[in-house]
Amino acid sequence: MQIEELRWFTVLCETGNVGRAAAELGLSQPGLSRALARLEQELGAPLFDRKGRVLALNRYGEAFLAHARRVLRELEAGRRAVAELASPESGTVAMAFLHTVGPWLVPRLLLSFRAQYPGVRFHLIQGGSATNLAALERGEVDLVITSPRPDGPRLVWRPLRREQLYLAVPVEHRFARRQRVRLAEAAAETFVANKPGTGLRESTEELWREAGIAPTVAFEGDDVATLRGMVAVGLGVAVLPRARTYDGGIDQAGDPWLRYVPLAGTGGTRVLGLVWREDRWASPAVTAFRESVLALAPELP
């Protein structure tokens, strides 16, 4: 049974005449009659009582009509839902991002885009890089903001900004008044860090490898705000980005008990980038948002 046959059947019910129904549908009368015969054969019962040229819906036809209309209504509702989701004016964008960019970068990107497309809705997931990329792989999100650059032949990566990393220490720490510090000098320090599988932990471990150190990790947390608190009370030091305000500026008052010491050497930064699957269809709304983000990237602080 095909959807078109259900439409032909409902029109026949409304007109009660094969000729008028065929004209309305743009079909030949013999073709419509044969389609009706096939439908009745498949269902195993006549749907109309014939009274000359007039078709009178019988009790079998009435029972089937209710279900046919329900199927057609659901199909139309599904088409409208897809059209709405795919519209650049009212679609939905699903994006995952790192905890560290939630307070400022994501709001900045959304604010710029929603000024032009206020009807687009967003489904946002905040998590570690491994979790976010797994969601992209499963098709649960369209885009991911992450760092470092992930591996994968089907992944497209576009850098957005380079973020400075620092050695965060308590205000009374021996490095607190330093203008710069080599990470190798902190080999004997106890560290706090994000849990494995997060973007910042991957960047931190890469810096440890480059410095030739394997420090003791006293605490592994889910978010940077918790790590900052642990550093402030002296549980350990950490490799962290500076806290930022909503507009992307440095939050000068946000960490009064911390000092951020720049890392010496060529490292000490990480690149935040936008990732998507090249083999997956992107709706107009997703494409518009992606283009907006990439266009805004050179202006990010």
Side-chain angles (χ1 to χ4, degrees):
M1 188 180 302
Q2 299 180 1
I3 294 298
E4 285 303 313
E5 292 176 329
L6 298 183
R7 290 197 179 94
W8 299 342
F9 170 69
T10 58
V11 172
L12 266 174
C13 293
E14 293 165 0
T15 62
N17 182 279
V18 174
R20 288 198 300 271
E24 183 174 332
L25 294 167
L27 302 172
S28 67
Q29 291 187 40
L32 184 56
S33 296
R34 287 194 296 270
L36 176 58
R38 287 195 303 270
L39 182 60
E40 290 179 323
Q41 183 178 9
E42 183 174 350
L43 293 173
L47 302 176
F48 297 92
D49 292 331
R50 276 72 171 174
K51 299 179 181 179
R53 295 184 177 181
V54 177
L55 297 179
L57 199 64
N58 60 26
R59 63 190 181 95
Y60 304 111
E62 289 176 354
F64 185 66
L65 177 60
H67 293 283
R69 283 175 171 166
R70 187 177 303 118
V71 169
L72 293 175
R73 284 196 303 268
E74 288 298 322
L75 178 63
E76 182 58 29
R79 285 179 172 169
R80 287 198 304 269
V82 171
E84 182 179 339
L85 288 172
S87 168
E89 301 295 335
S90 60
T92 298
V93 177
M95 182 174 70
F97 55 90
L98 302 174
H99 289 282
T100 50
V101 302
W104 74 275
L105 178 57
V106 173
R108 178 79 174 267
L109 299 176
L110 297 186
L111 180 65
S112 176
F113 179 75
R114 285 173 60 82
Q116 185 176 0
Y117 297 99
V120 172
R121 295 182 297 276
F122 283 85
H123 172 61
L124 302 175
I125 298 174
Q126 191 174 28
S129 60
T131 300
N132 293 343
L133 291 170
L136 179 66
E137 181 67 24
R138 292 191 299 267
E140 296 171 2
V141 297
D142 306 300
L143 303 166
V144 173
I145 296 177
T146 193
S147 180
R149 179 175 182 168
D151 294 325
R154 296 174 296 183
L155 298 180
V156 180
W157 158 274
R158 293 291 183 272
L160 298 180
R161 69 181 298 272
R162 184 173 293 276
E163 184 175 52
Q164 184 72 42
L165 296 176
Y166 302 82
L167 185 67
V169 300
V171 291
E172 301 299 330
H173 193 274
R174 62 191 177 101
F175 292 146
R177 298 186 182 278
R178 292 276 295 272
Q179 296 298 313
R180 195 167 293 274
V181 63
R182 291 183 298 106
L183 199 55
E185 297 179 71
E189 297 286 335
T190 298
F191 276 72
V192 296
N194 283 104
K195 291 180 178 179
T198 61
L200 187 55
R201 179 60 179 264
E202 291 181 35
S203 297
T204 299
E205 290 179 345
E206 178 62 27
L207 290 174
W208 288 342
R209 285 192 292 271
E210 292 175 358
I213 65 175
T216 298
V217 178
F219 174 78
E220 294 177 332
D222 290 311
D223 62 89
V224 170
T226 300
L227 297 184
R228 290 185 177 120
M230 296 302 177
V231 172
V233 300
L235 187 63
V237 300
V239 174
L240 296 174
R242 290 293 300 267
R244 290 185 174 272
T245 57
Y246 175 76
D247 61 359
I250 298 297
D251 186 0
Q252 301 291 348
D255 298 315
W257 309 111
L258 299 185
R259 292 292 182 269
Y260 289 91
V261 186
L263 296 172
T266 58
T269 64
R270 66 170 180 170
V271 177
L272 296 168
L274 188 68
V275 182
W276 65 91
R277 287 272 297 267
E278 66 177 355
D279 59 340
R280 187 167 292 149
W281 179 79
S283 72
V286 171
T287 300
F289 179 68
R290 188 172 66 199
E291 292 175 351
S292 173
V293 170
L294 297 179
L296 187 63
E299 304 175 18
L300 294 174

